[in-house]
Amino acid sequence: MQTRLTRALVALTTAVGLGLTGLAIAPAQAATGSITGVALDAAGKPLPHVGWEIYIREGNSWSTLQFGPKLTDGNGRFTWTVPVGGQYRVCFNDDYYGPASTTTGFWQPEVRHRDTCWPNATSMESAQTWTSSPSTPSKTFTMKLPRQGLGMAPVDPFIIGSYEVGKPLTIVGQEGWRPTNATFSYQWYEQSSGTPTTPIPGATGATFTPTAAQSGKWVYARATASRTGYKPAQLTTPVSMVGTQHVQPSSPLQVTGTAAAGSTLTASFGKPGATYSELSWFVDGVPQPAFTTYDAATSSFPVTAAHAGTRIDARLKIYKKDGQGNYVDGSDSFARVQVQVAGTRPALPLPTAIVASGEPAVGRVLTAPASVTADPAATVRYQWLRGTSSIAGATKRSYRVQAADLGKKLHVRVTVSRPGWWGSYVKTSPGAVAKKALKKGTVKLVGTPRAGKRLTAKVGGWGPRPVTIRFQWLRNGKVIKGAKKSSYNISKKDRGKVIKVQITVKKTKYLTTTATSKGRKVKR
């Protein structure tokens, strides 16, 4: 995506402005080691899609690896080869909002974590330096990142305007940002070729009018959203040059078609010769890359029931090509047309898995999970279902199974509404067939826990009789192969181990129940 490439360029020029030089080509080293980083949350759970950075000391300054995005894998890890003898600092930053393999196609976790440098610093400047040596060429940096706040769902900010001196440039797209009640701030930047990026004094609004001072310079803006309880989110706009000849469509961008389910929207513009173009689509600010067209004057987007109530953008990027088909610096133009789809936004899938706890047996209580959202301001609603039908009055977190439920699948549907987020989020638990409840009995071990002796499972009270009881003996909690009778002959390998028996009690039309005896430690 062009915007992602733009961000990488912006990050590079910003790094130069902070005194972080590009990574110099060093003489060949006789040996290399590796740096492995592991990002965890406060509970020790791996954090995927967390940005990482290795800083390398070069003289009196620190350089970085000039590529990106650099992200942890599904296990919260990364590994990078480094020369032995170098000095390094390692940092994690939880601010990635780009494409990912998720249900929405965009990485937007509900919780965000504090940016952390090894061992527990809040900035690269205060981080600890590690030196790779022949005796210790490699190191694993494991860091727990404290929770900082809820995560936003930002969208790519987009600039419209001609990039001419004296004519305004305006940032659009914030209407797709969630929470919708976030507060926005802006900073515009300028940069000449070969010089650091610098903020433009006073240019802190959504609209900025370039002056002669920006003529011939690259310009972009940074949009930051803040909200109490959330980690601030920051994204940058595309970059282009002020005062150069920007190509314009021979006819303006327009969208035709009915913005309703079952219809097709068509974006079109007049495409001049010797130009390159991209027509892309966004739903509530989220890119829809499958419908992007390249170097074409039209693009179509099918509207479905899932798009009800959303805002759909068609965005155009166009620039000049030289005789060899290459990009002509500073010739970009951008345009956007937005349409509102009829209807109300449908509920979205709740990312949290919903599994009810308890036994689905008459008289027993099923309970929905307590933690389904990290947002303390959210409203959570419950509805218990018998098959696909709602059970009248069963709208609390817990539900006592009734005789009318026998043989039916029971589910709980959880609906979450969050302030500043459109619509709601819904998920239904897997079904559990309701059966009668067995009367619970007991299981205990009798016998001497010594090698050569026998332990016997004494079972009683399970009913109504008759019932089928199966046995499985355990050694230190692990299954003993073949030990499936009501008694167990203790062997020498059991010395010092704890022996238990697990029983499974079955009866037709009754809920199968398991129980485990107390353990007996075998004497040595």
Side-chain angles (χ1 to χ4, degrees), residues 227-242:
R227 175 74 179 167
T228 301
Y230 286 79
K231 182 175 182 177
Q234 188 177 83
L235 291 178
T236 56
T237 67
V239 180
S240 196
M241 190 179 290
V242 172

Side-chain angles (χ1 to χ4, degrees), residues 271-284:
K271 191 176 187 306
T275 60
Y276 171 83
S277 63
E278 292 179 15
L279 269 173
S280 53
W281 295 90
F282 292 74
V283 176
D284 280 337

